[in-house]
Amino acid sequence: MIVMNVKVVIILMSLALILCKDLSENERATRAAFVQRLLNSNKYLEGRIKLVGGSNKYEGNVYIYHAGRWGAVCDDSWDAAAATVVCGIFNKSGAATHGGQFGETEEKFWMDDTVCEGDEKSLTECVFSGWGSSDCESNEVAGVICDDKIKNSIPIKIEEEEKIKIHEVVDVRTVSLRLVGGRSSREGRVEIYYNGVWGSICPDGWTIFEAAAVCRHLALGFAEQALQTDYFGNSAIILSGVACEGNESNLFMCKHRNFGQTYCPGDIGHVAAVVCTQYLADLHLDSLAIVRSAHLQDVPMFQLQCAMEENCLSKSAYEIQKKNPNWQFETRRLLRFTAASLNIGNAEFRPYLPKHLWQWHLCHMHYHSMEVFATFDILDMTGRRVAEGHKASFCLEDNTCLPGVEKKYSCRNYGDQGVSINCSDIYLYNIDCQWVDVTDVAPGDYTFKVAVNPHARVAEQNYHNNAAVCSLRLSDTNAYVYSCNMEKP
């Protein structure tokens, strides 16, 4: 079967129209049918997956075919469940990779913030932010390694039992830390002095959480950026697999591979680096507001059409919409609640996207500055997600402020967005999409998790007050949320 580039097909169609001016009706119909066959020849590829950059056909960055071209998948929210879906195509188990482990992409991103249950037959059945809706850089490519021997509970590259705490194998008095090559004392590549040698840290898996431990260790405040680069120069890598929670008082409390047992895929010369600052925002999620406001509401689908455009309902709602001509009269059961985040930091919380990249949403008649500001998930007792995590586009503004503080940010009239110091961004329970669709969730006991800034896209002083993990009891008529603990998303 012939597979042609969409641009070529468009050119052929244009030529066909020009040539058809002097042709008979039958000849025009024949040529139009020929062009249409060329267009149809690509349809069988829709939703197909291919793996690029790996050493064999069962590993590589994930590419998906849509609208006549191949595109990449961003690694935001990419996890073992998504890898299971991709590798299931090859009848294999799989593990997820991140950060363009198999190279950067030169294609556009088709999918972002992809959330799968793990039992989908195709990646297109998973929840994602919409075709082509992505803010990812070329190195944020999702990938997989498919193998019959891989267990999905084991993260790629470093198995949990291989990670050990540094103070268990070395005397911390013999280990030092410094930043090198920066324009100031608050930035540079991270170097460790061990066994008489200064060396760098492998940047694979280096995130804002590891950077936070470095900045705190060196008494430089908070981590503004976690970098994987050679911008600050490089040196021999002597440590890899560093994994921090983000609240450690020093880097030596984090897990890592044994010294001398480094494994570091990625760009040659790139090392872990940080930029530290004394001024950062810090959002504190109000768990009490969630407890007090949580309740169930049954709503007919004709009232939810705007919300459906933003993927605010579970998958079954969209299946009903496709199959049932009277779908508008079907009812969805929604767990509604209020989410309020107070900025207790010493700097404003601002969107990471510049204003010209904000998205206008016609239904809600305002710009959304962050595609993923909050996630809402319901988990069963085994930790399996039973209600699809709600990923909402948000408009950030100062809804209420502490006494003496003036409101600065407002979403009205294309205004600047953000959360000022000592002000709260509040989404009341009666706002569109401020819910989880629990129509398909059976009565019982669950875990309810609400998280703001879940991917740490905006740097904060502390991430362990960004998620409220609560107990949830669902009955046929009521929802009871209680016993919330604050955690990292």
Side-chain angles (χ1 to χ4, degrees), residues 250-437:
N250 65 73
L251 188 68
F252 302 153
M253 297 174 65
C254 301
K255 299 173 182 178
H256 66 90
R257 283 176 176 265
N258 286 322
F259 278 95
Q261 296 181 2
T262 58
Y263 169 72
C264 192
D267 293 334
I268 297 175
H270 283 208
V271 295
V274 301
V275 176
C276 303
T277 180
Q278 294 290 341
Y279 301 96
L280 273 186
D282 187 11
L283 295 184
H284 186 282
L285 183 62
D286 186 354
S287 61
L288 189 58
I290 299 171
V291 170
R292 288 176 172 175
S293 60
H295 66 280
L296 295 179
Q297 182 185 26
D298 292 335
V299 184
M301 289 177 66
F302 70 79
Q303 296 182 10
L304 302 173
Q305 294 184 58
C306 185
M308 291 184 72
E309 291 183 13
E310 298 189 21
N311 294 318
C312 294
L313 298 180
S314 63
K315 288 187 296 185
S316 63
Y318 300 95
E319 293 171 358
I320 291 173
Q321 186 183 35
K322 291 179 181 178
K323 298 176 182 179
N324 187 349
N326 297 315
W327 62 270
Q328 298 96 330
F329 305 106
E330 295 288 334
T331 300
R332 306 302 295 182
R333 174 157 292 188
L334 309 176
L335 172 61
R336 288 184 174 272
F337 59 96
T338 294
S341 303
L342 174 65
N343 183 3
I344 61 175
N346 58 7
E348 297 171 341
F349 185 95
R350 297 299 308 278
Y352 57 88
L353 286 177
K355 196 169 184 178
H356 69 277
L357 292 179
W358 295 357
Q359 293 188 359
W360 171 257
H361 284 253
L362 185 61
C363 271
H364 294 147
M365 298 299 291
H366 60 232
Y367 282 89
H368 289 171
S369 59
M370 291 184 68
E371 277 301 316
V372 184
F373 175 71
T375 57
F376 315 141
D377 294 309
I378 295 178
L379 313 172
D380 65 15
M381 294 298 102
T382 67
R384 183 178 64 90
R385 185 187 292 110
V386 295
E388 295 175 6
H390 168 53
K391 296 180 170 295
S393 298
F394 277 72
C395 116
L396 299 172
E397 60 183 357
D398 296 329
N399 296 114
T400 63
C401 297
L402 297 182
V405 180
E406 292 187 6
K407 297 179 182 179
K408 178 179 179 180
Y409 296 105
S410 175
C411 297
R412 295 180 180 177
N413 302 319
Y414 197 30
D416 285 337
Q417 294 188 23
V419 185
S420 301
I421 302 170
N422 292 326
C423 291
S424 295
D425 179 55
I426 301 175
Y427 279 80
L428 295 173
Y429 64 82
N430 58 356
I431 294 177
D432 229 10
C433 293
Q434 190 57 40
W435 63 61
V436 176
D437 184 350

Side-chain angles (χ1 to χ4, degrees), residues 85-103:
V85 175
V86 172
C87 292
I89 298 171
F90 307 107
N91 295 318
K92 292 181 178 292
S93 300
T97 68
H98 302 80
Q101 178 170 325
F102 299 99

Side-chain angles (χ1 to χ4, degrees), residues 44-200:
Y44 83 102
L45 285 173
E46 182 69 23
R48 291 288 184 91
I49 295 293
K50 70 176 180 180
L51 305 182
V52 178
S55 60
N56 59 64
K57 64 179 181 179
Y58 298 122
E59 66 177 33
N61 291 333
V62 178
Y63 284 75
I64 188 167
Y65 194 87
H66 173 67
R69 62 176 290 184
W70 290 98
V73 178
C74 181
D75 61 6
D76 292 344
S77 302
W78 189 253
D79 59 13
T84 297
V85 175
V86 172
C87 292
I89 298 171
F90 307 107
N91 295 318
K92 292 181 178 292
S93 300
T97 68
H98 302 80
Q101 178 170 325
F102 299 99
E104 296 187 2
T105 180
E106 297 180 357
E107 303 291 342
K108 72 171 292 177
F109 283 98
W110 268 137
M111 301 179 73
D112 191 2
D113 295 307
T114 307
V115 178
C116 304
E117 297 291 335
D119 57 357
E120 293 86 352
K121 295 180 180 179
S122 168
L123 204 59
T124 58
E125 295 181 9
C126 300
V127 177
F128 61 102
S129 58
W131 291 110
S133 176
S134 174
D135 52 19
C136 296
E137 301 294 334
S138 59
N139 62 345
E140 298 180 77
V141 193
V144 294
I145 296 178
C146 303
D147 193 315
D148 295 326
K149 299 178 182 179
I150 291 178
K151 296 180 181 179
N152 290 328
S153 60
I154 300 176
I156 190 61
K157 304 167 192 168
I158 310 159
E159 294 189 2
E160 191 66 29
E161 59 268 22
E162 292 178 345
K163 299 178 183 177
I164 54 175
K165 291 192 175 181
I166 198 167
H167 64 255
E168 293 176 344
V169 293
V170 300
D171 184 345
V172 295
R173 294 171 297 182
T174 68
V175 184
S176 299
L177 192 70
R178 70 180 183 183
L179 300 184
V180 181
R183 296 159 294 185
S184 72
S185 61
R186 296 188 179 278
E187 66 177 27
R189 72 177 184 270
V190 183
E191 284 197 337
I192 291 178
Y193 183 80
Y194 176 73
N195 200 23
V197 177
W198 284 101
S200 292

